[in-house]
């Protein structure tokens, strides 16, 4: 990345921890969009609870996984409340394709309030995560963002691999987009089998994502 003259936006907790421990790479972080900040300090030393006590240590990865799961659950709950044809948000949104950072983002004026990240894999577009600013999560922002992204993908002739569970739930409620899902690599989030449930095993989700992105 350094040789290409690019900066990085860091959302992976492992990469962030690596850079914190190897500050020679710190200058690569984009000053305007460095990525999500750490929720709790990383534990550089092994933790040994007092003898006879069992304590649970919440790691940074666990905290970020919980935040991601809460975001997904909230956005899916908002989809539940909307009718099948209600995909427009409460505001007039600009949806912009940011190719440098591999994302589409929704903005109101100069303020970015939501984004859907993606990755090109084997001629497909893998839709990775949908995030909405908490202040806008109950106003169908995610639904409009996803609909407009899918509408933009359709003319390209590419198929999608759905990693993001919010995108999968949206397509389940709007089956006119189902034909975009890749038949061979649909993705771990493509076909939700049940109503959104809390407490899913994030490690299983990560393993499924790794398989879908090959």
């Amino acid at each position: 990345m350094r040789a290409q003259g690019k900066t990085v936006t860091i959302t992976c907790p492992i990469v962030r921890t690596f850079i914190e421990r190897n500050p020679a790479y710190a200058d690569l972080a984009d000053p305007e969009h460095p990525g999500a900040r750490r929720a709790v300090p990383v534990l550089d030393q092994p933790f040994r609870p007092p003898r006879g006590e069992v304590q649970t240590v919440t790691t940074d990865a666990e905290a970020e996984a919980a935040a991601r799961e809460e975001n997904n659950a909230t956005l899916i709950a908002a989809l539940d409340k909307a009718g099948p044809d209600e995909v427009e948000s409460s505001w007039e949104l600009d949806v912009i394709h940011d190719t440098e950072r591999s994302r589409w983002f929704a903005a109101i004026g100069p303020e970015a309030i939501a984004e859907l990240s993606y990755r090109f894999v084997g001629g497909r577009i893998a839709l990775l995560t949908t995030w909405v600013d908490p202040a806008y999560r109950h106003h169908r922002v995610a639904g409009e963002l996803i609909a407009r992204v899918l509408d933009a993908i359709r003319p390209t002739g590419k198929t999608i691999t759905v990693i993001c569970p919010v995108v999968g739930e949206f397509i389940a409620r709007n089956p006119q987009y189902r034909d975009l899902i890749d038949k061979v690599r649909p993705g771990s989030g493509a076909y939700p089998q049940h109503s959104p449930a809390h407490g899913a095993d994030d490690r299983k989700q990560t393993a499924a994502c790794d398989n879908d992105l090959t």
Side-chain angles (χ1 to χ4, degrees), residues 73-99:
T74 302
L75 299 184
I76 291 171
L79 294 178
D80 284 336
K81 296 177 182 178
D85 299 323
E86 295 178 323
V87 296
E88 292 188 357
S89 69
S90 303
W91 297 279
E92 185 174 341
L93 300 178
D94 292 317
V95 174
I96 300 165
H97 189 188
D98 181 358
T99 56

Short mmCIF file of all heavy atoms in Angstrom, two decimals, residues 73-99:
data_model
loop_
_atom_site.label_atom_id
_atom_site.label_comp_id
_atom_site.label_asym_id
_atom_site.label_seq_id
_atom_site.Cartn_x
_atom_site.Cartn_y
_atom_site.Cartn_z
N ALA A 73 -28.84 -5.83 13.82
CA ALA A 73 -30.15 -6.13 14.39
C ALA A 73 -31.08 -4.92 14.32
O ALA A 73 -32.27 -5.03 14.01
CB ALA A 73 -30.00 -6.60 15.83
N THR A 74 -30.53 -3.73 14.59
CA THR A 74 -31.34 -2.51 14.55
C THR A 74 -31.80 -2.21 13.14
O THR A 74 -32.97 -1.86 12.91
CB THR A 74 -30.54 -1.32 15.10
OG1 THR A 74 -30.11 -1.62 16.44
CG2 THR A 74 -31.38 -0.06 15.13
N LEU A 75 -30.91 -2.37 12.16
CA LEU A 75 -31.28 -2.09 10.78
C LEU A 75 -32.30 -3.09 10.26
O LEU A 75 -33.23 -2.74 9.53
CB LEU A 75 -30.04 -2.08 9.89
CG LEU A 75 -28.97 -1.04 10.22
CD1 LEU A 75 -27.85 -1.09 9.19
CD2 LEU A 75 -29.57 0.36 10.27
N ILE A 76 -32.15 -4.36 10.65
CA ILE A 76 -33.10 -5.38 10.22
C ILE A 76 -34.46 -5.14 10.86
O ILE A 76 -35.51 -5.30 10.23
CB ILE A 76 -32.56 -6.78 10.54
CG1 ILE A 76 -31.36 -7.09 9.64
CG2 ILE A 76 -33.64 -7.85 10.35
CD1 ILE A 76 -30.61 -8.35 10.01
N ALA A 77 -34.47 -4.73 12.13
CA ALA A 77 -35.74 -4.40 12.80
C ALA A 77 -36.44 -3.26 12.08
O ALA A 77 -37.67 -3.25 11.96
CB ALA A 77 -35.48 -4.05 14.27
N ALA A 78 -35.68 -2.28 11.60
CA ALA A 78 -36.28 -1.16 10.85
C ALA A 78 -36.87 -1.66 9.54
O ALA A 78 -37.92 -1.18 9.10
CB ALA A 78 -35.24 -0.08 10.59
N LEU A 79 -36.22 -2.66 8.91
CA LEU A 79 -36.79 -3.24 7.70
C LEU A 79 -38.11 -3.93 8.00
O LEU A 79 -39.05 -3.89 7.20
CB LEU A 79 -35.81 -4.25 7.08
CG LEU A 79 -34.50 -3.72 6.52
CD1 LEU A 79 -33.66 -4.87 6.01
CD2 LEU A 79 -34.74 -2.71 5.41
N ASP A 80 -38.19 -4.58 9.16
CA ASP A 80 -39.42 -5.27 9.56
C ASP A 80 -40.60 -4.32 9.63
O ASP A 80 -41.73 -4.68 9.31
CB ASP A 80 -39.24 -5.94 10.92
CG ASP A 80 -38.41 -7.21 10.82
OD1 ASP A 80 -38.37 -7.80 9.72
OD2 ASP A 80 -37.80 -7.59 11.82
N LYS A 81 -40.35 -3.09 10.06
CA LYS A 81 -41.43 -2.13 10.26
C LYS A 81 -41.90 -1.48 8.96
O LYS A 81 -42.96 -0.87 8.92
CB LYS A 81 -40.98 -1.04 11.24
CG LYS A 81 -40.68 -1.56 12.64
CD LYS A 81 -40.18 -0.45 13.54
CE LYS A 81 -39.85 -0.98 14.94
NZ LYS A 81 -39.31 0.09 15.81
N ALA A 82 -41.10 -1.60 7.91
CA ALA A 82 -41.45 -0.96 6.64
C ALA A 82 -42.28 -1.91 5.78
O ALA A 82 -42.11 -3.13 5.83
CB ALA A 82 -40.18 -0.56 5.89
N GLY A 83 -43.21 -1.36 5.02
CA GLY A 83 -43.99 -2.15 4.09
C GLY A 83 -43.12 -2.60 2.93
O GLY A 83 -42.01 -2.09 2.73
N PRO A 84 -43.59 -3.54 2.12
CA PRO A 84 -42.78 -4.08 1.03
C PRO A 84 -42.36 -3.05 -0.01
O PRO A 84 -41.35 -3.21 -0.68
CB PRO A 84 -43.68 -5.16 0.42
CG PRO A 84 -45.06 -4.78 0.84
CD PRO A 84 -44.91 -4.15 2.19
N ASP A 85 -43.13 -1.98 -0.16
CA ASP A 85 -42.81 -0.96 -1.15
C ASP A 85 -42.17 0.27 -0.53
O ASP A 85 -41.89 1.25 -1.23
CB ASP A 85 -44.06 -0.54 -1.93
CG ASP A 85 -44.68 -1.70 -2.69
OD1 ASP A 85 -43.91 -2.52 -3.22
OD2 ASP A 85 -45.92 -1.78 -2.76
N GLU A 86 -41.95 0.26 0.77
CA GLU A 86 -41.41 1.43 1.46
C GLU A 86 -39.89 1.33 1.55
O GLU A 86 -39.33 0.85 2.53
CB GLU A 86 -42.00 1.55 2.86
CG GLU A 86 -43.50 1.82 2.85
CD GLU A 86 -44.07 1.90 4.26
OE1 GLU A 86 -43.61 1.13 5.14
OE2 GLU A 86 -44.97 2.72 4.48
N VAL A 87 -39.22 1.74 0.50
CA VAL A 87 -37.75 1.68 0.49
C VAL A 87 -37.14 3.07 0.54
O VAL A 87 -35.93 3.18 0.75
CB VAL A 87 -37.22 0.91 -0.75
CG1 VAL A 87 -37.67 -0.53 -0.70
CG2 VAL A 87 -37.65 1.59 -2.03
N GLU A 88 -37.93 4.10 0.36
CA GLU A 88 -37.36 5.44 0.43
C GLU A 88 -37.30 5.91 1.87
O GLU A 88 -38.18 5.63 2.67
CB GLU A 88 -38.20 6.42 -0.40
CG GLU A 88 -38.11 6.16 -1.90
CD GLU A 88 -38.79 7.26 -2.70
OE1 GLU A 88 -39.36 8.18 -2.07
OE2 GLU A 88 -38.74 7.19 -3.93
N SER A 89 -36.23 6.63 2.20
CA SER A 89 -36.05 7.12 3.56
C SER A 89 -36.89 8.36 3.80
O SER A 89 -37.60 8.84 2.91
CB SER A 89 -34.57 7.45 3.79
OG SER A 89 -34.22 8.59 3.03
N SER A 90 -36.77 8.88 5.00
CA SER A 90 -37.51 10.08 5.37
C SER A 90 -36.87 11.35 4.83
O SER A 90 -37.43 12.43 4.97
CB SER A 90 -37.61 10.18 6.91
OG SER A 90 -38.21 9.02 7.44
N TRP A 91 -35.68 11.24 4.23
CA TRP A 91 -34.97 12.41 3.72
C TRP A 91 -34.60 12.21 2.26
O TRP A 91 -34.67 11.09 1.73
CB TRP A 91 -33.69 12.66 4.52
CG TRP A 91 -33.93 12.96 5.95
CD1 TRP A 91 -34.28 14.16 6.50
CD2 TRP A 91 -33.83 12.04 7.05
NE1 TRP A 91 -34.42 14.04 7.85
CE2 TRP A 91 -34.14 12.75 8.22
CE3 TRP A 91 -33.52 10.69 7.15
CZ2 TRP A 91 -34.14 12.17 9.48
CZ3 TRP A 91 -33.52 10.09 8.40
CH2 TRP A 91 -33.83 10.83 9.54
N GLU A 92 -34.19 13.29 1.63
CA GLU A 92 -33.67 13.21 0.27
C GLU A 92 -32.18 12.92 0.35
O GLU A 92 -31.38 13.77 0.74
CB GLU A 92 -33.93 14.52 -0.47
CG GLU A 92 -33.52 14.47 -1.94
CD GLU A 92 -33.91 15.72 -2.70
OE1 GLU A 92 -34.79 16.46 -2.21
OE2 GLU A 92 -33.32 15.96 -3.76
N LEU A 93 -31.82 11.70 0.00
CA LEU A 93 -30.44 11.25 0.14
C LEU A 93 -29.67 11.35 -1.17
O LEU A 93 -30.23 11.11 -2.25
CB LEU A 93 -30.39 9.80 0.62
CG LEU A 93 -31.05 9.46 1.96
CD1 LEU A 93 -30.92 7.96 2.21
CD2 LEU A 93 -30.43 10.26 3.08
N ASP A 94 -28.40 11.66 -1.06
CA ASP A 94 -27.47 11.48 -2.16
C ASP A 94 -26.72 10.19 -1.90
O ASP A 94 -26.15 10.00 -0.81
CB ASP A 94 -26.48 12.65 -2.23
CG ASP A 94 -27.14 13.95 -2.63
OD1 ASP A 94 -27.98 13.94 -3.54
OD2 ASP A 94 -26.82 14.98 -2.00
N VAL A 95 -26.73 9.27 -2.86
CA VAL A 95 -25.97 8.02 -2.72
C VAL A 95 -24.80 8.09 -3.69
O VAL A 95 -24.99 8.23 -4.90
CB VAL A 95 -26.87 6.80 -3.00
CG1 VAL A 95 -26.04 5.52 -3.00
CG2 VAL A 95 -27.97 6.71 -1.96
N ILE A 96 -23.60 8.01 -3.14
CA ILE A 96 -22.38 8.26 -3.91
C ILE A 96 -21.50 7.02 -3.89
O ILE A 96 -21.32 6.38 -2.84
CB ILE A 96 -21.62 9.45 -3.29
CG1 ILE A 96 -22.52 10.70 -3.33
CG2 ILE A 96 -20.30 9.71 -4.03
CD1 ILE A 96 -22.04 11.84 -2.46
N HIS A 97 -20.97 6.67 -5.06
CA HIS A 97 -20.07 5.53 -5.18
C HIS A 97 -18.64 6.00 -4.96
O HIS A 97 -18.08 6.74 -5.77
CB HIS A 97 -20.22 4.88 -6.55
CG HIS A 97 -19.49 3.59 -6.68
ND1 HIS A 97 -19.36 2.92 -7.88
CD2 HIS A 97 -18.86 2.81 -5.76
CE1 HIS A 97 -18.67 1.81 -7.70
NE2 HIS A 97 -18.36 1.72 -6.42
N ASP A 98 -18.06 5.58 -3.85
CA ASP A 98 -16.68 5.94 -3.50
C ASP A 98 -15.79 4.76 -3.90
O ASP A 98 -15.56 3.84 -3.11
CB ASP A 98 -16.60 6.22 -2.00
CG ASP A 98 -15.20 6.63 -1.54
OD1 ASP A 98 -14.29 6.67 -2.39
OD2 ASP A 98 -15.04 6.90 -0.34
N THR A 99 -15.28 4.78 -5.13
CA THR A 99 -14.52 3.63 -5.63
C THR A 99 -13.18 3.48 -4.92
O THR A 99 -12.67 2.37 -4.79
CB THR A 99 -14.27 3.78 -7.14
OG1 THR A 99 -13.62 5.03 -7.40
CG2 THR A 99 -15.59 3.75 -7.91
#
